[in-house]
Amino acid sequence: MILIGFMGAGKSSVGRALGQRLGWTFEDLDERIELREQRKVSEIFRDSGEAEFRRAEHAALNELLNELSGGAERIVALGGGAFAQRENIDVIEASQAVTVFLDAEAAELWRRCREQAAEQKTERPLLISRHSFRDLYESRRPHYLKASFRQDTGGQTVDEIVGALVEALGLSPSSKK
Ligand code: S3P
């Protein structure tokens, strides 16, 4: 199962909590990129630019999808830009993995990202201004809506979102999705 959505959607925290609940492995694509590249996402953006980050992201995604096709019970969180790149959407659709869009309004996503930045939990190179954040959100949302399933996350806790997903998708520790 692949979790997609904009920055601040809760892809990593929901993915981790859902993995714990189901006993499935959780993986964050950005962490795989950092391991492969031996540097932080923010350093790739700063030293090599976004185009190089997208190249590294696509390579890591391909590697991951090859592993998923082995039928492993696994939840994967993508970075916010991954499901907005044509070449990534194509390989994900071809893999037939279930995609889940964690949705929320731009204002709430901005607030969550600002709170995480203030707590120094995350470094987000594309968290620049409220205006550019909203523009990026608007341009990507049509791509996210191509996911197999959309889950609203507005005003909900991680536990509430996990509960809603388990129910809506009929997930249980033994089921394979
Ligand atoms: C990005 C989102 C980030 C990370 C990178 C680019 C984006 O992941 O992949 O900074 O383009 O929206 P999160 O969505 O987990 O913040």
Side-chain angles (χ1 to χ4, degrees), residues 113-133:
C113 287
R114 296 291 294 181
E115 280 167 12
Q116 289 168 5
E119 291 164 14
Q120 298 190 321
K121 277 194 193 156
T122 52
E123 271 185 88
R124 291 191 166 102
L126 295 177
L127 194 66
I128 300 160
S129 71
R130 189 189 291 265
H131 186 75
S132 65
F133 188 86

Side-chain angles (χ1 to χ4, degrees), residues 46-115:
R46 188 193 63 206
D47 300 337
S48 308
E50 181 169 352
E52 176 59 19
F53 172 75
R54 296 299 168 204
R55 188 209 55 74
E57 183 178 54
H58 183 63
L61 177 65
N62 270 328
E63 184 181 79
L64 182 67
L65 290 174
N66 282 333
E67 294 173 19
L68 282 186
S69 60
E73 292 183 332
R74 202 188 290 206
I75 299 162
V76 178
L78 302 190
F83 203 75
Q85 315 292 318
R86 185 72 261 164
E87 64 274 26
N88 293 341
I89 298 174
D90 287 347
V91 289
I92 290 169
E93 286 182 351
S95 79
Q96 297 189 322
V98 173
T99 45
V100 176
F101 168 30
L102 298 183
D103 198 8
E105 287 182 358
E108 179 165 345
L109 294 168
W110 171 257
R111 196 172 59 245
R112 291 182 198 166
C113 287
R114 296 291 294 181
E115 280 167 12

